[in-house]
Amino acid sequence: MSMAGTPGGRLRSGFARATVAALFGLAVLAGLSAWLALRAPSWWTPVVARAADADQGAAFEQAIVAEFTKVRAADAEWAVRIRAADVNEWLASRLPQWLESRELPALGQAQVHLQPGVLRLGVARGPAVIWTAAEPVAQGGGVQIRSASSGMGRLPLPGMGPDLSQAVDGWVGKPIPLPDGRQVRVLDLEVLDGELRLRLRTESR
């Protein structure tokens, strides 16, 4: 007698079909996840490092340092605008040397993307791009990172992207110290489309 027609046989046959369907669904889900993870985010357009860019990256770095260390009246307030395009030129042309000088491991291509209220930082890791998106705000005289999310490619994955708190290390919740003993307090921070605006105050020793 055929077992297929018995209750036990029908149960085993149904279980086998359900198992095959579940495995097929998992395979499709895994394939879709891998496809999304390997697709670059829509905003990912990193600057390709060229010899000509090194001067621009160095000029941007020097301009920022000069602005922060400038001699000002006591407790003077001032503002600075930082363009994402300038930051990305620096990341392409100067970041490798900066990491090497501090004996830190090299990174792949990196890019900052700014849109109202949100800062994104992406880093190429092999064929994929890992990223973090966050809301930086002025707090305690420094910068605080809020509402962080991360992912790989176009797939959100908590805890995957670079730690933005490390990128603002020394600025987190406290004023920025200067070599001459003064400090710069972050009064306001605004992330706009393609640029970051800071309102600051240089305080005496």
Side-chain angles (χ1 to χ4, degrees):
M1 184 175 82
S2 172
M3 295 294 294
T6 66
R10 288 194 296 270
L11 180 62
R12 286 192 292 273
S13 178
F15 178 76
R17 286 196 297 270
T19 300
V20 170
L23 290 174
F24 177 75
L26 287 174
V28 170
L29 182 61
L32 179 61
S33 296
W35 179 72
L36 288 172
L38 293 175
R39 287 196 71 192
S42 59
W43 50 266
W44 178 253
T45 54
V47 173
V48 178
R50 297 169 298 182
D53 294 332
D55 290 341
Q56 295 180 19
F60 168 70
E61 181 179 324
Q62 291 165 9
I64 292 295
V65 171
E67 197 66 37
F68 271 77
T69 58
K70 184 177 180 180
V71 176
R72 304 178 189 275
D75 298 334
E77 292 189 13
W78 52 284
V80 65
R81 183 183 71 165
I82 301 175
R83 300 191 312 141
D86 293 329
V87 175
N88 289 325
E89 290 283 357
W90 185 89
L91 290 173
S93 64
R94 299 285 292 174
L95 180 61
Q97 294 90 336
W98 188 87
L99 293 172
E100 183 179 359
S101 69
R102 287 158 177 77
E103 298 183 348
L104 296 173
L107 295 176
Q109 286 182 302
Q111 181 193 346
V112 162
H113 180 261
L114 303 177
Q115 67 181 73
V118 180
L119 181 152
R120 289 183 173 85
L121 173 62
V123 177
R125 293 292 192 189
V129 175
I130 60 172
W131 53 267
T132 295
E135 176 191 358
V137 295
Q139 183 171 312
V143 177
Q144 193 77 328
I145 300 298
R146 291 182 180 172
S147 306
S149 60
S150 61
M152 176 183 291
R154 303 195 179 190
L155 185 67
L157 291 171
M160 174 59 68
D163 185 358
L164 284 177
S165 295
Q166 293 182 357
V168 294
D169 186 27
W171 296 31
V172 178
K174 57 185 179 182
I176 305 157
L178 298 179
D180 62 3
R182 295 179 298 161
Q183 64 180 15
V184 175
R185 182 176 295 274
V186 181
L187 302 177
D188 190 34
L189 183 156
E190 190 175 11
V191 184
L192 303 173
D193 189 13
E195 67 180 39
L196 180 68
R197 292 183 181 178
L198 296 165
R199 186 166 60 86
L200 308 137
R201 183 171 65 230
T202 300
E203 300 176 339
S204 57
R205 304 181 188 187

